[in-house]
Each structure stands twice: as structure tokens, then as C-alpha cells.
Amino acid sequence: MSATDRYNSLDDFLISTAYTVDAPVEFGPGLTYPVKGREIEATVLFSDISAYSARTLDLRPVETLAFVNQFFTWMTAMALQGTNGIVDKYIGDEMMIVFSKEFGSEDPFEEAVRVARRMGEQDFFSFVPHVGIAGGAVIVGHAGTPLMYNCSVFGAPVALAARCAGTRPEETESGFPSYSCSITFPEAEWEGRNFGEVFPPTKYKDEDGHVVSEQPTTWELLPARTVTPKNMRELPIREVVDRAFNLPDTSPEESAKRVVEEMREANRYWPREA
């Protein structure tokens, strides 16, 4: 599949391909549920906002909505820029993206890492994302009932990627992180890969496509270590962190407050009476 023919959603993918399972299951008197979807190999990426609870504690609900939508909009633009990834869902302050050869990715893991790198380097609003990546066998299927259902990806890599996103590299003695973005994945995913090839220097080109300058990478591959994610057995992981920091003129929290105030002034926001 060419990049120009990329799938816009998991629903698009299922409509265009054959199911590997499609059956109704009886579940008690008069109750049935469907098991239908397609099994594939895929890489799952989870990304969330650093210190989300603390950063939104003093925001009004509508400001929190503006805050998370800024994150989703910006990070989705980073994720879909020249890739074959499919956004699965937005959950609270997290987003989940799926990559697969069946979606057009040549190397789903490396494509997921490139997306995570772009999320960190282009984090101009300083969301400080934590990214978790894991791959393996999953199924793209429908979950729910005829009253309400959605299309999503299910399998161990989903939980593993989420747990990796929740794993934080060790902090400095001051208690503050020494990085602006972290990417965490099972150590086995890195086997046989070269850091310089996966995280090459940033090259700047002129209008004719000639390289005019090259900036060394600000990313660092940390030593392997073993963690025990919640409700999981011990897991050897690798982490890559970005040592460069983005210093925005306005924080996303202040930006969200300003956006809501502008909506009020434009008569687009009608707060309910207390």
C-alpha cells in the first residue's frame, strides 16, 4: 500500500481487509456478543502528558478540555506526518497509535520511534511527553454491543506499551527530570539495532535538497535495566531520552486559559451558573 493510500482509521482497515474471525457468541439467555476482527503483527505507541494531574488541578473543566485537545491536536500532527500510523484512541491525557506492515510500514518499530522522536523534538508547548512502545501479535476488532461499540486493537502489546509509557527514567538528585521526553520499550525490541541509524543527526537542506548543516542528536540511549510494571512480571527495558529542553513563551495551561477567555469574548462559551 502506498503512503497516498494510507488508512485513516482502524475501521477503514477492517473494511478493506478480510477478517480472521467473525462469529456471534451466545452469552446467557437472549444475549450474544460478536467476536470479529483481523489478527496482525503491529507496534503500539502510547504517549501521555507529564504531570497531567498536577498541571490541570487548578484548571476549570472547559480549560482542561482545551488543554488536552491542544496536546492531542499537536501530537497527532506529529504522528501522522509522513507515516502510516493509525490513531487508535484518545484516553484521558493519553493517545494510542498503531503501526503495522499491513498499514504500509516497512519497519513498524522504527517508524514508531521516529514518531516519538518528532513528538519530543517538536514539543514547542512543553507537554513533556512520555512515550511507551511495544510490538507483537494483536487483533484489530470491534468491542462493545450493538448499542455502543468501537474498533480498536487488543493484545498484550497494548498493555505493555501503556506500562512502558508509565515507566519513568531515574531522576536527578534534585528530583527533577534531566530530559524533556522519554521513549521506553522492551529491550528485545532494540536487539540488532544501531543507535546512530535509528537516531541520526538532524540534517538541514536548502531548496535544492543539498545538506547545508547537520545538528548532532540530543537523544541518549540509557543502559538497559529491569523493571516490574504493575500486574506484570519483570521486564528488561531500554530508554531513550532527549537532553534538549523546549522553553515556550506561554505554557499550555496558560494557553488553554487564554483560549477559553477568547471563546467567552466571542460569545462561543456560555458557562453555566454556579
Side-chain angles (χ1 to χ4, degrees):
M1 188 184 74
S2 67
T4 56
D5 298 325
R6 69 182 308 278
Y7 298 112
N8 293 315
S9 66
L10 294 176
D11 287 284
D12 283 350
F13 171 70
L14 282 185
I15 290 172
S16 305
T17 57
Y19 290 165
T20 58
V21 60
D22 185 358
V25 178
E26 294 186 5
F27 188 63
L31 297 176
T32 61
Y33 64 85
V35 177
K36 56 195 306 181
R38 180 176 178 82
E39 295 170 304
I40 64 172
E41 291 288 322
T43 293
V44 178
L45 179 154
F46 263 88
S47 179
D48 67 8
I49 302 171
S50 178
Y52 170 76
S53 297
R55 296 172 71 171
T56 59
L57 188 61
D58 295 325
L59 296 182
R60 291 179 291 171
V62 65
E63 293 168 345
T64 300
L65 177 61
F67 176 81
V68 296
N69 276 342
Q70 286 178 357
F71 173 74
F72 291 146
T73 299
W74 186 255
M75 292 304 173
T76 298
M78 296 300 100
L80 302 184
Q81 190 180 99
T83 75
N84 294 290
I86 297 178
V87 176
D88 183 311
K89 61 171 72 70
Y90 303 111
I91 319 163
D93 68 313
E94 299 176 329
M95 63 184 297
M96 175 178 161
I97 308 166
V98 188
F99 304 85
S100 174
K101 288 185 177 180
E102 296 207 30
F103 302 163
S105 300
E106 292 185 7
D107 185 332
F109 174 78
E110 190 164 324
E111 188 167 44
V113 170
R114 288 204 309 270
V115 166
R117 178 181 181 177
R118 190 157 56 238
M119 286 179 171
E121 292 180 346
Q122 305 297 322
D123 181 27
F124 300 133
F125 301 105
S126 196
F127 288 108
V128 192
H130 294 282
V131 180
I133 299 173
V138 300
I139 184 168
V140 183
H142 298 288
T145 73
L147 294 177
M148 178 67 183
Y149 72 91
N150 57 33
C151 184
S152 188
V153 169
F154 303 88
V158 177
L160 193 53
R163 290 291 185 263
C164 284
T167 300
R168 303 291 185 256
E170 296 181 3
E171 298 177 339
T172 60
E173 292 182 1
S174 65
F176 293 99
S178 59
Y179 56 87
S180 61
C181 177
S182 66
I183 308 171
T184 304
F185 42 82
E187 183 181 19
E189 298 277 7
W190 191 256
E191 186 175 350
R193 298 182 185 274
N194 179 281
F195 181 76
E197 294 177 356
V198 181
F199 285 83
T202 301
K203 297 181 180 181
Y204 298 94
K205 301 180 181 180
D206 59 21
E207 294 181 354
D208 297 324
H210 299 115
V211 176
V212 295
S213 65
E214 187 174 284
Q215 178 180 333
T217 182
T218 56
W219 294 83
E220 177 186 348
L221 178 65
L222 302 184
R225 66 188 180 105
T226 299
V227 299
T228 306
K230 183 179 179 181
N231 297 327
M232 291 187 174
R233 53 182 174 268
E234 287 188 344
L235 175 70
I237 62 170
R238 296 305 299 264
E239 298 155 297
V240 185
V241 296
D242 188 2
R243 298 299 188 187
F245 284 83
N246 293 296
L247 301 174
D249 295 330
T250 303
S251 70
E253 298 94 311
E254 291 301 319
S255 176
K257 292 178 181 179
R258 186 184 68 246
V259 165
V260 171
E261 184 57 34
E262 290 174 352
M263 289 190 293
R264 183 200 295 270
E265 293 174 355
N267 195 31
R268 302 289 297 187
Y269 170 46
W270 313 277
R272 67 182 181 85
E273 296 182 0

